[in-house]
Amino acid sequence: MKPPPFDYHAPTSIEQALAVLAEVGAHGKVLAGGQSLIPLLNMRLAAPDHLVDINRVAGLDAVEAEPGGVRVGALARHAAVERSAAVRSAQPLIGQALRLVAHPVIRNRGTVVGSLVHADPSAELPAVLALLGGSVRLARVDTERDVAAEDFFVGPLESATEPGELAVSAFFPALGRRTGTAFVEVARRHGDFAMAGVAALVGLDDEGAVMSARVACISVGPAPVVVDVSAQAPDWKAAARAVQDRIEPEGDIHATADYRRHLTGVLAERALTQAAADA
Amino acid sequence: MTTKLFGEPIPRREDERLVLGQGRYLDDLGRQAVAAAFVRSPHAHARIRDIDVSRALDVEGLIAIYTWEDLPGLVAEPLPLLIPHPALTHGRTAYPLAKEIVRHVGEPIVMVVATDRYVAEDVCGLIDVDYEFLKPVVGLEEAAQGVHLVHEDVPGNLGAHLVQEVPARDGRSVAEALESAPHVLEFRLDIERSASMPLEGRGVYARWDADDRSLRVYSSTQTSTSVRMALAAKLGLPLPQVEVIAPDVGGGFGVKIVHPWPEEILVPWAAITLGREVKWAEDRREHFISSAHERGQVQHIKVGFDEQGRVLALDVDILHDHGAYTPYGIIVPIITATQLLGPYKIGAYRVVFSSIYTNTVQVTPYRGAGRPQGVFAMERTMDRIAAHLGLDRTDVRAANFIGPDEFPYDQGLIFQDGRPLIYDSGDYPESLRMLKELIGWDDFPAMKQAAAEEGRRIGIGVGCYVEGTGVGPYEGGHVQITSDGRVHVSTGLTSQGQGHETVFAQIAATELGVPFEKVSVVTGDTRRFGYAVGTFASRAAVMSGNAIALACRRVREKALKIAADALEADPRDLEITDGVVHVVGAPAAGIPLATVAVLSNPLRYAFDEEAQRATQFAGTADPDKAPLEDEPGLEGKDYYSPIRSTFASGMHAAIVETDPDTAEIRILRYAVVHDCGRLINPMIVEGQIHGGVAQGVGGALYEKMAYDEHGQLLNASFMDFLMPYVTEVPHIETAHLETPSPLNPLGIKGAGEAGVIPVSSVIAGAIEDAEGIPIMRMPISPSDLYDLRRATD
Ligand SMILES: Cc1cc2nc3c(=O)[nH]c(=O)nc-3n(C[C@H](O)[C@H](O)[C@H](O)COP(=O)(O)OP(=O)(O)OC[C@H]3O[C@@H](n4cnc5c(N)ncnc54)[C@H](O)[C@@H]3O)c2cc1C
């Protein structure tokens, strides 16, 4: 459990970081919080020739309110985002999700953007970005592009980030008027990746009737599965059935596919009920 | 005994060191040593055609590569079969490095030594092993059919087969008693694998002193004395030239009683061969696939009983998964078969086990060591009987209890120490009464009803066990009081964090009448004490505790005699208080033990002021007597060797809640009544129970070894092997009963394994009560419970 040899780079500015990434291309990997990458290296499941440690890069840890949402820099740790007042007032779903991400010690190091790039289909934050319709900003030498969540999560552990690119920030849209959110999940142990989990977003009109309802499900497909259940609202049981029809869970040593489908239905109903009550 | 420390909840003196990160574990030692790493089989069953190291030879920092062919003499022989048994007709052990065939994923094939562990692992990655695949034998029942073999020369994959039968008191056999029983039930139970999983893995660090021709080995072991003897034998070294030390050990739980591990021989051998210090510290993946597991069994049970639920006949057939090898013999299934009887006197009993080889990691004892499986069988049986008769589950148990006046009670079997299974003492009805009160057993139906009205499902479960502890053959203790008044205690068995430094000091301070702070304790260091068996089977307190007490009594007697001379008093009139020997009732006119120590060793040379008092012109000695009557020094050594084990007991109860929708299982309350005889330190006993229950919760709800049909362990990391976190372990309520053991001077029984033993049976019973679905297989996950619900719908 020792990593194979690699060249270590520790740039201190974005320009330097992008220059190194351009140079090493597909042979390099970005090291952010290291909570996913280091175990992969130690188990020799990843063997990049170059490791580009961005932890010394200045100006990447900002968490800022922007018109219409909140922007989270690449070095903002889960814990800092969880505590951020700007985030709390702009979009409570982020905090609801972060409480379910691992344990405090891991949240002290792990980054929100790293979690998005890592694109684990069981991770909470990709589901949040997908449900809200946010985006990730990818930079390479001289250019930048914003990739919408729906195009960003390509498959299990695969995002749209290309060799030579650095994800510099992610944008989470703010909560709309009379909108409620919830994130519920069931993990084997406290803080584990969930067997199933559902984030819900429910918007009401001025009369209090449901205008829109959507969920994003984790651990039941190659990427977060977003389902619009506005048509079923407010019959959340029917909505849960519609969600169950859309997901493609697989069985593993912790849970069968059938159980994951069942559980996702239960959690979808719970999440939608909570989000509606919260709206 | 004037300084009363025995029985007090003294805080553990090792904790400051261990909690502040100042422990010295194996990998903290030998920073200058070179590192070993191993190429381990990625296949469950294969023949090695060729090992090609050519790509690896140019790596900078490589020192040596060894395969089986490089090993000399006894080092190349199979590892010892530690505990032979007549029923183990086909015992098999591995070679330190695989010879021709590998039989489980993780079996070591090549040892690499390099300047550091990083380089050593790089080299391992460049060594090409060419395999011819053989059919992996996975799954206990498939293996038992014997279509494919783990060892070519072991038909049916059957390592051992043992039948034990105890007829009913009226002489009837199990078959006869079953025939005439008013009620008979028959069912099957399954228990999955788990493992000791100490936070610190195994590890060895060896130093060869070429000038002195001596070997010093540090090993993260539960038995340094036996590792030492094994090493001296394997390496052909004179025993006095080998010393083995167990430093701080970050948990053992059974896996480290196995020895010598391949690495335990290979690392010292390499150190001698290379003339360099060599170290190997096991990593987590290695621990999963290259050490040992336990618990996997399939049990078929047939029970006959009367209207009160009294068991008239019990017939148990056990398939025991032994993995690829049997280095520790058949101790685990023997314990299952014998300890299954628990606190009960039943009619006729017949137990048969077949120990089966599979292409998986070998099975050796893990805390509880076969008992959790036996207790699962018996306690599930009690619950089935109660359900069948519509009786209260505790009433059925009470109807079968051995009475408090029936000790010593002979179960008619042979225990794991080769001695008759005779319980020494206990009070099972009182334990059950205390437990029912602690958990509120009689109030539970109302509580359940109230919960149901809120749409909640809760259930209660109970489980009883008896645990044979303190197995022989012996342990020893050495106690020395030096002229500075300090008391140095040593014993040969090792410590893995149990608190031995504290309890042995409590015993010594109590026996000698000295302040606790004056006593220091060393364990597991063959330089200090060469004879020992080891730390396992909840034996350390019973064995070394009593040996140390006996050694202290010798020292005390000697101190009183010397002091009596100096005080011109009768030794029978003396006592020791706060380290001062004085006439009873006259503490002021005494003589400190420090001075007695000086007087105990007649001197020619005064190396300090105090020592002058013992020199030949000091005028303290009688000129007509030889200066030395006894051995010099205020020290003593003694051994404790019991005729047989002493039997601790306990009862647990739990209340669980199951979510009607998600099938999540939550433990709401957990209660333990525990009887380990006289308590040396109740706080340490409770700590042992808490840790044990935590491991039991792991075995009941979380842990399994997920082997696929190819013999690959799919969850060989802490990401997927789910040990409970503190968030999964309930608050544990405990009550103690103290039924002294008549077998040893201190009246104590072992407590190390107690907590883990009945947990699976208790939780299974509670889930069954909540759900109304029979729970016949553990562990159980929400996904499993969901499947069970659908199957019964
Ligand atoms: C015990 C444990 C439990 C966990 N449980 C959960 C959980 O329940 N839910 C959950 O969501 N997560 C969980 N995690 C993962 C954790 O949230 C990680 O923080 C996250 O997955 C990755 O963030 P990181 O900053 O550590 O990324 P790293 O490990 O540094 O990197 C992860 C990957 O992303 C790439 N990368 C990172 N940042 C960038 C960037 N700015 N630009 C381009 N590429 C980048 C890296 O190259 C690498 O491939 C757990 C982790 C552990 C160790």
Side-chain angles (χ1 to χ4, degrees), chain A residues 29-30 32-37 78 101-102 106 110-111 114 117 123-124 167 191 193:
Chain A
K29 275 238 162 245
V30 172
Q35 299 303 298
S36 298
L37 184 54
H78 295 315
V101 174
I106 290 158
T111 64
V117 177
E124 288 81 1
F193 281 107

Side-chain angles (χ1 to χ4, degrees), chain B residues 90-112:
Chain B
H90 293 77
R92 295 289 179 274
T93 59
Y95 291 88
L97 293 173
K99 180 192 175 193
E100 287 174 51
I101 308 243
V102 283
R103 294 191 178 82
H104 66 87
V105 170
E107 190 159 350
I109 299 171
V110 184
M111 174 165 68
V112 170

Side-chain angles (χ1 to χ4, degrees), chain A residues 29-39 54 74 78 100-103 106 109-111 113-115 117-118 122-125 161 165-168 191-194:
Chain A
K29 275 238 162 245
V30 172
L31 175 69
Q35 299 303 298
S36 298
L37 184 54
I38 296 289
I54 60 169
H78 295 315
L100 302 171
V101 174
H103 310 275
I106 290 158
R109 287 300 295 173
T111 64
V113 172
S115 176
V117 177
H118 191 58
S122 299
E124 288 81 1
L125 293 168
T161 316
E165 280 185 322
L166 178 69
V168 287
D192 281 352
F193 281 107

Side-chain angles (χ1 to χ4, degrees), chain A residues 159-187:
Chain A
S159 77
T161 316
E162 284 174 6
E165 280 185 322
L166 178 69
V168 287
S169 65
F171 177 74
F172 294 87
L175 193 65
R177 232 168 66 57
R178 297 218 60 183
T179 306
T181 59
F183 205 129
V184 292
E185 68 174 38
V186 173

